[in-house]
């Protein structure tokens, strides 16, 4: 959440209002029958068989294919775009650039076309120059090649470490600093350091990680009169709707966005892309539906990334493990435009451990590179990479076990907000995780390999996530058909995390019906109610209480109908296995399908809203990751032998998808820590080095831990919300990389402070260690 | 509505419950700003430009095309179906008949396939034998030709006038009578005739009229795991859902039926067809989407009709015009199966005019012919053809003006139910209609042509409709987006009558917003709430109060949000032009788009239900049609020179679509009265004579009245429902044909008692008149 100069709060580009919603929430279940069990996804068959229709699968009659010409230069002025040859090619139906003569269809969008989508100055490789629509993708890409563009190439700076140097090329005329540094302080840091027995200072670097969803970014846009329908691969149909309506100057009701299935987003699909507006304009001018999905190369250049970070931490600790001071300075970059390049870098230092004296300072910097976008816990893995290695170094310096040091500094309140957490699972994650992992035994096992060529090491890292409590708004409708089967109408996207399955389980729990009879329609601004984007690990804690409220509203009506039919007091009735039954008095029952008033009405509709979060409390998820590595000192190869993720995300809603989420989070953490790195040339061209999978390496099945155990820590949160769930997706990825780095340090005695921990990096660190010891 | 042996009521194959719904309705508007004006349809552009996607336009990836082999014999046993050659043809993906070996996909549907869809005995030409799915429609029809079927041809009877004769072939073993005759009596008919000054008796015949919607009947069926989606050309997605779920043994929630646009139904698309289940089965067995739209020839044979009728009326009247007795005997046929062949034939005689002594008897008969289905006011045009010609004859016999005779016999109560009408527009329709038409002047004009070869005549006929008041259930959701634009979620189908436009006007009226910002999603069982089929002239009176209730629910919430924001009493607030304004106290206003709590919530949702109908009252529409003809006695050609339709359908919701409805109703009445006739061979083959437009002639622009005036009679009904609307579609077609017949009689002095009034029929009648006068 960002607070602007006028004191308004913004999230995902939308203003957020503080007024709590009035609807009171029921207390969480004390016992459950369905929720918490292992349950196969409701759409497992469709996903596995290939019948699931993703936006990129969609075929509409008469549909054209769009493609985008993108700047090959990191910084250039576009002098002209000549489309004559492209437009003359067979099958080419529309070309739009900043130089296109505007007809009646495009004229209302002059500013959007001339200044925004295809503006005169392009500030990163991959920024758009023109878009085309043609009969096939091949015709479209032929057309791109036929466009003649004149550029005035400008000097560039592609690395934030170069951008503040004297005489560095300017990304924007006003300079390369994105505003002033963002600072925070509490206590007296100097006094804290004075108080410490040990003070350490270290610099950490994380490389840029790119979102690489299986389904690339894009949409199909189709006009029906003055109504635009967009099938978008998105995490949130409502933010896309808002963006398109704003971009094209249309009422929200005239923009329908549908996003039933989507093939991964990780934060880069929280809102529309430039491709969305381009598809809409191409469809408008060609009077045909247009499918525009960007290529994998465009994904790497223009669709978002977790930006690089440079973090210096100075930390003071007493011999007994008490943290006395933490001081962080960090820089980052959102690319060529304002995109939160340092967001989240300072959170963990402020909040994760109890410390009275804290100072943070972050500076966001412009460079000529593609935009950052939120990526699974934006800023946090970078921050944990620094803080959790520092904690490890402090423990070593005071000769304390790193698990013990962390347990020494648990905070039960948010130190920034001064409010207690509804539940703080950090201690349990660390303590129970260490026990389940067999921390002590593993440490001893590792020590025994100190002289072997292949050495073992163990590492721990902890995490929390600044959101993950969810909150209003969410509006859900649940419809009971006359045969007792149900339709759940949910605005939220299921981004592959099992949202639909969990929501069906919530309904089944509350109404005691067969979850298989619940059909879910979701993620459609035209036909579902409102939901925020599925991101920030807030989907389940936001939507599940709203779904439960809808189920309760429906239950109330159903029991009233049954009470009238059976001639009994409604208070004596309950739902059991698809029937209404009496719980006291003479035994009576009636199946849902035999409720006369239900059959007369056709359907009964329950409406549910997400209630407000608990006043004066914080709702946050916590985690601790434990890793055992085997490092071959001759090849530098690090094998992740064992991994355990202890997660406090409140109630486990579906144990199967819970495990899936943690597996995914740890895997992305492995990629962040060990394999992934965007390489931009810093010298002659400023361009991305390598445009595919061989150059940008995401982890494969060979890279992930051989054994990966998930340990849910459920403290029975009765205050967070009416289902007791907290977010899981992001907290599962934050601590992974530093746990690995700490294990590598434990195995080798060398600390790798820059991602990724490649075999080359390990060998280099070992070489430096040898030089050090022989000096 | 049909009452079964157990006292349950059924409509459209679904049980109807009598319990009234609790939700109280607001009083109708006394004044309106939007409702009642002329307004272009919200989907006019889509419909006219061709961008509207009808189910028959739908193309899905991998979609196959279905086709149905239908019996060429009116009565036969199917001995075998050999699909070997058909299945070997290229592009043929599935063949299903009563002889298909059943695999795992089809086995659960054995009874449906073997006994229902493709049962062993076929009782009409066009009853299904087999269905195929293939890559293209051409492959599918090739496959039909390659099927080898052995029939045992049986004797048939194709005309109900032959079916009760001694030794007539039996359609069903139990005989050709569809149960016993249906009878009704009040008073003492014999006494009534004794009291009369004049008693007349006459037989009337109407021919079978076939539904010929622009879009033929059919659907696209597609499976997604165990969920079936059907895009059907239908008047009611929920009845189709119920039928498919029942037919295939599935929960309602697993059957999604979508019917956004549809190209005409007129009653023949109130529920699913055999083609719906066939498409679902073909899609299941081929694991591909299947489009199955029947051909025009199949429409004429198998998709429904207004059955022929044979009506004898005996009527008594006093010299002063008082009706003393009415006695009706009628036969009809629903075809080879029970399909309400005489439904509605007796209503008008019982109810339209005040008469103490009434007896009716109707007998439904089986014949080997395609099934009747509800057709725009089922039974009523046939009944009006008889009764309104009889009224004309009575007026002539007692030398009274036919307008005056009708005005003499107005009833303000339902004589069958003993309940008053909320409003009775019959008198105003006749009186004001006659005045607007210039009845007396036209009559005089006509008298002046008596000796000319081209003679003029004027005719009047009155009508009422037995339904048209609408009623529960209906559930509607109205969603206000944060920019003040709206989405109306409506289960009902817009069958071309302008339902969507009218509902947008209702919302705009209540919320004082721009109707153009209201987007409507409708007719989708997966995403909209419940609605009954759009039929029986009940869509507007059923849905518009539910829509208004949803708007009021939304308004209440919006005003509460505004009151909190402005710090004023909610009672001082009102909606004006997209803003909330104070109506008393200090002047304040806030646009909907600036309501903070609305922006925070994303949407505000209003839910509306259709309340109960007024207790102890009847809600019915009325009409009177006036016609001036010019008949060329040399060619027999009847030209409709002038036509006026006076309609009491309560409040005029949209004057444009009101006029459209009446134009359509009169046009269908012209077809019924003057051009349309299904001809079945009564002798050798029993087959339909002619399979296309040249043989079955529907009216063209050359056949409809040169001048057609619509006169709405709005008596300001405050009781019918909260919008004051009554049904219009059916009452607009009932009186047309007899008004023309009466005008022809006025012109020529001959009475044409059998439809259609073709030039040949006119010349024959004139010849008979000459023979009579020379005898």
């Amino acid at each position: 959440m960002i607070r602007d100069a006028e004191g308004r709060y913004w999230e995902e580009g939308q203003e957020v209002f503080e007024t709590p919603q009035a609807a009171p929430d029921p207390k969480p279940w004390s016992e459950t029958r369905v929720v918490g069990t292992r349950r196969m996804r409701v759409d497992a068959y469709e996903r596995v068989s290939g019948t699931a229709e993703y936006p990129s699968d969609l075929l509409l009659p008469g549909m054209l294919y769009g493609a985008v010409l993108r700047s090959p230069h990191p910084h250039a002025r576009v002098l002209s775009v000549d489309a004559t040859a492209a437009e003359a090619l067979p099958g080419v139906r529309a070309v739009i650039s900043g130089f296109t003569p505007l007809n009646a269809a495009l004229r209302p969008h002059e500013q959007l076309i001339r200044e925004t989508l295809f503006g005169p100055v392009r500030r990163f490789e991959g920024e758009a120059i023109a878009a085309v629509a043609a009969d096939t993708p091949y015709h479209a890409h032929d057309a791109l090649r036929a466009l003649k563009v004149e550029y005035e190439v400008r000097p560039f700076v592609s690395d934030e470490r170069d951008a503040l140097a004297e005489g560095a090329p300017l990304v924007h005329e006003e300079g390369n600093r994105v505003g002033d540094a963002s600072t925070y302080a509490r206590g007296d840091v100097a006094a804290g350091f004075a108080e410490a027995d040990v003070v350490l200072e270290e610099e950490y670097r994380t490389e840029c990680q790119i979102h690489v969803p299986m389904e690339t970014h894009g949409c199909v846009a189709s006009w029906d009169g003055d109504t635009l329908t967009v099938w978008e691969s998105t995490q949130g149909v409502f933010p896309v709707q808002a963006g398109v309506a704003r971009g094209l100057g249309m009422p929200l009701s005239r923009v329908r966005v549908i996003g039933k299935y989507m093939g991964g987003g990780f934060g880069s699909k929280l809102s529309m892309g430039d491709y969305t507006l381009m598809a809409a304009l191409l469809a408008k001018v060609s009077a045909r539906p247009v499918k525009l999905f960007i290529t994998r190369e465009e994904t790497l250049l223009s669709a978002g990334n977790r930006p690089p970070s440079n973090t210096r931490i100075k930390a003071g600790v007493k011999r007994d493990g008490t943290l006395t001071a933490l001081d962080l300075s960090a820089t980052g970059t959102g690319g060529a435009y304002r995109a939160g390049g340092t967001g989240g870098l300072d959170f963990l230092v402020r909040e994760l451990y109890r410390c009275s004296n804290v100072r943070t300072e972050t500076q966001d910097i412009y460079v000529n590179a593609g935009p950052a976008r939120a990526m699974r816990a934006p800023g946090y893995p970078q921050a944990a990479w620094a803080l959790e290695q520092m904690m490890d170094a402090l423990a070593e310096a005071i000769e304390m076990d790193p698990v013990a040091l962390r347990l020494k500094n648990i905070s039960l309140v948010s130190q920034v907000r001064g409010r207690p957490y509804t539940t703080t699972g950090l201690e349990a994650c660390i303590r129970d995780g260490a026990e389940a992992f067999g921390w002590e035994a593993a440490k001893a096992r590792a020590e025994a390999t100190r002289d072997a060529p292949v050495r073992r090491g163990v590492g721990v890292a902890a995490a929390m996530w600044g959101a993950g409590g969810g909150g209003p708004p969410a509006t859900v409708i649940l419809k009971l058909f006359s045969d007792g089967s149900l339709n759940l109408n949910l605005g939220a996207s299921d981004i592959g995390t099992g949202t639909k399955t969990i929501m069906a389980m919530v309904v089944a729990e509350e109404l005691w019906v067969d979850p298989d009879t619940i059909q879910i329609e979701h993620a459609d601004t035209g036909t579902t109610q409102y939901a925020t984007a599925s991101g920030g690990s807030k989907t389940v804690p936001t939507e599940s209480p709203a779904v439960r409220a809808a189920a309760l509203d429906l239950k109330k009506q159903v029991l009233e109908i049954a009470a009238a039919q059976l001639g009994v007091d409604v208070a004596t009735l309950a739902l059991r296995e698809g029937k209404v039954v009496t719980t006291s008095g003479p035994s009576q029952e009636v199946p849902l399908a035999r409720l006369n008033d239900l059959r007369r009405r056709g359907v009964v509709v329950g409406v549910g809203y997400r209630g407000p979060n608990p006043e004066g409390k914080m709702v946050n998820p916590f985690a601790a990751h434990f890793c055992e590595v085997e490092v071959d000192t001759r090849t530098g190869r690090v094998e992740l032998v064992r991994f355990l993720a202890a997660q406090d995300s409140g109630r486990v809603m579906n144990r199967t998808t819970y495990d899936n989420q943690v597996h995914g989070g740890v895997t992305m953490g492995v990629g962040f820590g060990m394999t992934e790195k965007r390489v931009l040339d810093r010298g002659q061209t400023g361009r991305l080095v390598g445009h595919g999978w061989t150059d940008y390496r995401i982890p494969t099945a060979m890279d992930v831990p051989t054994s990966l155990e998930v340990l849910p820590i459920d403290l029975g949160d009765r205050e967070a919300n009416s289902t007791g769930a907290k977010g899981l997706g992001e907290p599962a990825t934050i601590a992974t990389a530093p746990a690995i780095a700490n294990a590598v340090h434990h195995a080798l005695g060398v600390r790798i402070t820059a991602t990724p921990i490649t075999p080359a990096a390990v060998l280099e660190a070992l070489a430096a260690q040898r030089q050090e010891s022989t000096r």
Side-chain angles (χ1 to χ4, degrees), chain A residues 691-702:
Chain A
H691 282 201
W693 295 126
T694 47
D695 300 295
Y696 185 84
R697 207 168 86 71
I698 58 171
T700 68
M702 301 300 289

Side-chain angles (χ1 to χ4, degrees), chain A residues 264-279:
Chain A
F266 314 111
S268 67
K269 295 179 182 170
L270 287 169
S271 50
M272 68 167 180
D274 58 358
Y275 44 80
T276 316
L277 295 175
M278 290 178 201

